[in-house]
Amino acid sequence: MDGLTLATLVREWKEEWVGCRVDKIQQPTASEILLSLRHRQGSRWLLLSAHKAYARVHFLTGQKPVAPPEPPRFCMQLRRHIEGGRLLDVRQLELDRVVQFFFSARSELGDLNYFVLTLEIMGKHSNLILTTAHPDGQPDEIIDAIYFVDSSKSRVRQIFPGIPYEFPPTQKKIHPLEMTAKDLPLLDKQDWLGKANQLSLIKQIAGLGPTSARESLYRCSDVAEEAQLALEIRRLATFSLRHPEPHIGLDEEEKATAYAPFPLHSYPKSIAVSNMSEAVAQVFHRLVSIHQETGEYKALSDAIRKAQDRLRGKLAKISALQEDSHEHDRLRMFGELLLAYGYSLPRGAKEAVLPSFEDEEKMIHIPLDPAKTAMENAQTYFRQSSKRKRSIEILEQEKRSAEADLLYLDSVLSQLRDASLQELPEIRKELENEGFLKKIEIRGKKPAKQSQRPSQPDHYLSNDGWSIWVGRNNQQNDRLSIKSARPHDLWLHVQDGAGSHVLIRREGNQEIPQKTLEEAALLAAYFSKSRDSSNVAVVYTEARHVWKPNGARPGHVLYDHQQTLFVTPRQVDMEALLKRKNQV
């Protein structure tokens, strides 16, 4: 977010929101504050974020983030001082990325007090600071801040309660409306649109950021002359400061990538929006969603892989113990030999060398505990033999359980690959319920009731017009295959591997076209671990032949009366099919 964008936002808010009332205050994350502002036309949530990578300010356009049950310290201070107050003014520090919200509020005794909430958008040094204020709006003493900065972090400027607020050090930059070609830095004409030129402009000219610097260079790339560049910068600054026209820049996939107070010719497509806040909100919604999805995806995939590593270690130990357990016959033979020939052994012997029952010429070496008699050593071997014999079945059960868990985690990892941001919490909850992730609980607080509707399987329309449903996680798979499937629906799944459950809806014993069957099999193969394989075996059977064993993990079912179809989910074949999603 650059200074020109912030200037446009401040202009909008001065015109529409000065005089509004602060209804509610929430702090959904460690770096973000939400202010509910109300005036005669209704109320809206204003987001102020001091996130180190995504610091910004705009009105929310989508769903409001969920606030924690207990408000953090900074949120409590804001509620105490400005909740119920009035927004008197919004100011920007020159063309810097510092915006101030000036409030008045009455104390419990009825005294009128003034406060300033300052958002400093400065990358990793971004901060939100609440201060007392003079009636003219100048900040005074710091009350609280999202982040404290002491002398160990900065010798120039400290931020903590009780000290006077100081503005960030000013950067000596040229105002874009006053600049000339002589004020421009030395630019590389061989790489006119390069990052180096963009960075040089940002460092030299006030209010410019990466988007506005790129746009300025792009608009005169045919000429690549300083005089033309200076003209374009003044022109864009005029748009922003006097006649803003908020736009969003779209990439090749038509996804919101950039925003500015002017048309963006340097992007494949530029669309106008009603106000600057909406433009900022749309772009940051996508960026933050990608950030959250990437972070949550990595956290879940790391947790799954750690659990898989533990299970593989467990299987290795089981394998070693199984080798030992099969020694029970030899241990029993040791005991029987000691019973038969123990009378001839001297007391305190460390080893017995006795003839084998099958071949008297073959001698068997038996380790002994010298502190025990021959009979006592024999009883020890009998006990060890019985214990290892009993462990064979136990170890086999443990092995089957660990292998089933590995297959289950494979299925979750496969589903995670294509999961949307909205589906990730459902996968996390499933892993928590199955014991692979720890549940995060707040002491003394009861878990909130889950009011969110469970996610639904994906719907596709086959080339022949048949409905195909695809479960995208194990909860969906269970609901699709066990609860919502009708007896004669056709159920499909990749053979002996992790993947989605697929269902073809049909009435009675209707004959399913071969093309529809192949497309359903392609979806089963595509949404599985075998996506990049050829000749993937997909089994299919009627849903009445599918059942869930007692105590089985989510998504695990058994089936019979199956047939097998081999398909290859080539990307070129899948594109047309995937486009028919949600056409049911």
Side-chain angles (χ1 to χ4, degrees):
M1 178 172 284
D2 61 25
L4 294 179
T5 297
L6 198 55
T8 306
L9 288 170
V10 169
R11 178 189 179 118
E12 290 177 0
W13 295 332
K14 274 179 172 289
E15 293 175 354
E16 297 183 24
W17 289 92
V18 166
C20 68
R21 183 177 184 273
V22 182
D23 261 359
K24 298 177 182 178
I25 301 174
Q26 294 182 358
Q27 186 173 350
T29 69
S31 61
E32 295 178 341
I33 286 294
L34 288 171
L35 303 180
S36 177
L37 303 181
R38 176 182 294 276
H39 64 10
R40 58 187 177 277
Q41 296 178 355
S43 62
R44 294 192 69 182
W45 286 99
L46 180 68
L47 171 70
L48 297 98
S49 174
H51 191 283
K52 297 183 185 302
Y54 301 113
R56 64 201 187 277
V57 56
H58 59 79
F59 282 111
L60 289 183
T61 56
Q63 187 176 2
K64 181 177 73 68
V66 178
E70 295 185 9
R73 180 205 75 247
F74 189 63
C75 181
M76 291 297 292
Q77 289 281 28
L78 291 176
R79 289 180 180 179
R80 177 185 173 190
H81 291 93
I82 67 173
E83 194 170 68
R86 296 282 175 183
L87 177 63
L88 300 181
D89 199 7
V90 186
R91 302 174 182 177
Q92 182 184 16
L93 179 61
E94 298 178 350
L95 278 182
D96 210 344
R97 295 183 299 168
V98 177
V99 60
Q100 296 179 307
F101 296 85
F102 181 39
F103 299 95
S104 67
R106 293 197 177 273
S107 68
E108 295 177 354
L109 299 177
D111 298 328
L112 189 62
N113 297 317
Y114 299 96
F115 305 94
V116 174
L117 181 59
T118 302
L119 173 62
E120 300 175 353
I121 302 175
M122 301 187 299
K124 64 180 181 179
H125 301 297
S126 297
N127 211 339
L128 260 170
I129 305 163
L130 177 67
T131 65
T132 57
H134 300 288
D136 62 359
Q138 290 302 311
D140 188 12
E141 186 177 284
I142 296 175
I143 299 173
D144 205 347
I146 284 276
Y147 301 113
F148 293 153
V149 179
D150 57 22
S151 57
S152 65
K153 297 178 181 178
S154 174
R155 296 180 182 178
V156 178
R157 179 171 175 258
Q158 284 81 51
I159 299 172
F160 53 85
I163 67 171
Y165 174 81
E166 296 180 5
F167 285 107
T170 56
Q171 297 175 318
K172 295 180 180 180
K173 295 184 178 182
I174 304 166
H175 195 286
L177 293 180
E178 301 170 356
M179 64 163 298
T180 64
K182 296 179 180 179
D183 299 318
L184 287 172
L186 184 64
L187 299 175
D188 182 0
K189 293 189 178 182
Q190 301 301 317
D191 188 18
W192 184 254
L193 299 177
K195 295 290 184 182
N197 282 355
Q198 295 177 30
L199 187 59
S200 295
L201 293 180
I202 293 169
K203 289 181 177 180
Q204 190 78 9
I205 304 166
L208 259 62
T211 301
S212 48
R214 166 180 165 162
E215 183 69 20
S216 302
L217 291 163
Y218 179 84
R219 290 191 178 196
C220 57
S221 55
D222 292 341
V223 180
E225 295 291 341
E226 284 79 359
Q228 185 64 30
L229 177 59
L231 178 63
E232 291 298 340
I233 291 174
R234 289 196 300 272
R235 186 177 296 164
L236 294 183
T238 301
F239 264 111
S240 305
L241 301 176
R242 297 175 184 172
H243 312 288
E245 297 180 8
H247 276 70
I248 293 175
L250 307 181
D251 61 14
E252 291 80 1
E253 298 177 356
E254 295 203 353
K255 293 180 179 179
T257 303
Y259 53 83
F262 40 76
L264 288 166
H265 302 316
S266 57
Y267 287 82
K269 189 175 181 180
S270 178
I271 58 173
V273 291
S274 59
N275 56 70
M276 197 69 243
S277 183
E278 180 186 344
V280 175
Q282 284 194 38
V283 173
F284 271 106
H285 176 73
R286 176 172 176 255
L287 293 176
V288 174
S289 294
I290 293 171
H291 172 80
Q292 290 173 339
E293 188 169 356
T294 303
E296 179 70 348
Y297 175 88
K298 186 177 186 304
L300 291 175
S301 59
D302 286 350
I304 292 170
R305 290 192 172 93
K306 285 180 182 178
Q308 287 178 320
D309 289 342
R310 288 194 297 268
L311 285 169
R312 292 188 185 102
K314 181 179 179 180
L315 284 171
K317 291 179 181 178
I318 289 173
S319 179
L321 290 172
Q322 282 181 320
E323 290 183 9
D324 290 343
S325 67
H326 290 295
E327 293 284 302
H328 67 90
D329 286 335
R330 188 171 67 89
L331 295 174
R332 185 165 187 82
M333 179 189 67
F334 284 175
E336 290 173 348
L337 284 172
L338 289 173
L339 284 179
Y341 298 106
Y343 65 89
S344 63
L345 296 175
R347 190 174 182 87
K350 294 183 179 180
E351 184 182 54
V353 182
L354 303 174
S356 170
F357 289 134
E358 288 81 12
D359 184 0
E360 291 188 357
E361 293 184 0
K362 181 181 179 181
M363 305 304 291
I364 305 296
H365 293 259
I366 305 174
L368 299 175
D369 183 347
K372 296 179 180 179
T373 65
M375 295 303 104
E376 289 173 337
N377 274 292
Q379 293 302 319
T380 298
Y381 279 119
F382 286 140
R383 286 193 297 272
Q384 290 177 354
S385 175
S386 297
K387 183 178 179 181
R388 295 194 183 186
K389 187 175 183 179
R390 289 194 304 270
S391 71
I392 291 177
E393 181 59 29
I394 296 172
L395 289 171
E396 188 59 34
Q397 291 176 358
E398 289 288 322
K399 181 181 179 181
R400 288 196 296 268
S401 175
E403 289 174 341
D405 284 350
L406 268 177
L407 184 61
Y408 164 74
L409 290 173
D410 264 348
S411 73
V412 179
L413 200 59
S414 176
Q415 294 155 7
L416 189 62
R417 174 180 57 184
D418 298 305
S420 67
L421 180 61
Q422 290 72 29
E423 292 167 336
L424 293 181
E426 199 167 75
I427 294 176
R428 171 175 283 278
K429 183 181 177 182
E430 178 186 326
L431 290 171
E432 289 176 349
N433 291 339
E434 296 303 312
F436 293 105
L437 276 178
K438 289 184 179 179
K439 292 185 178 181
I440 301 174
E441 296 180 355
I442 300 174
R443 186 176 297 176
K445 292 284 183 181
K446 293 182 179 179
K449 292 183 179 180
Q450 296 294 324
S451 58
Q452 188 177 359
R453 184 184 175 189
S455 61
Q456 300 300 309
D458 287 347
H459 295 241
Y460 293 86
L461 196 66
S462 78
N463 193 54
D464 302 305
W466 287 64
S467 296
I468 304 174
W469 292 21
V470 180
R472 297 303 305 280
N473 59 51
N474 285 316
Q475 302 296 333
Q476 291 182 13
N477 285 338
D478 278 352
R479 292 194 297 270
L480 182 63
S481 303
I482 306 303
K483 294 184 179 180
S484 65
R486 297 176 298 201
H488 293 289
D489 291 342
L490 200 67
W491 180 89
L492 302 92
H493 191 274
V494 66
Q495 188 178 53
D496 299 329
S500 293
H501 295 196
V502 177
L503 202 69
I504 304 176
R505 286 287 195 198
R506 68 172 171 177
E507 299 293 335
N509 285 320
Q510 281 181 296
E511 184 176 352
I512 298 175
Q514 183 65 25
K515 180 65 174 177
T516 294
L517 179 61
E518 290 175 357
E519 288 181 336
L522 281 170
L523 288 169
Y526 184 80
F527 291 110
S528 78
K529 202 176 178 182
S530 304
R531 173 180 295 185
D532 301 319
S533 304
S534 58
N535 290 324
V536 180
V538 176
V539 296
Y540 62 95
T541 186
E542 289 188 339
R544 61 196 174 104
H545 299 307
V546 179
W547 71 97
K548 189 173 185 67
N550 292 332
R553 296 281 191 192
H556 177 67
V557 296
L558 298 177
Y559 53 87
D560 55 23
H561 295 81
Q562 73 272 17
Q563 298 181 62
T564 306
L565 182 64
F566 292 89
V567 295
T568 300
R570 291 185 290 265
Q571 188 65 38
V572 65
D573 298 328
M574 295 303 302
E575 286 180 1
L577 179 55
L578 293 173
K579 287 179 180 178
R580 296 202 294 272
K581 178 182 175 182
N582 294 330
Q583 293 188 14
V584 181

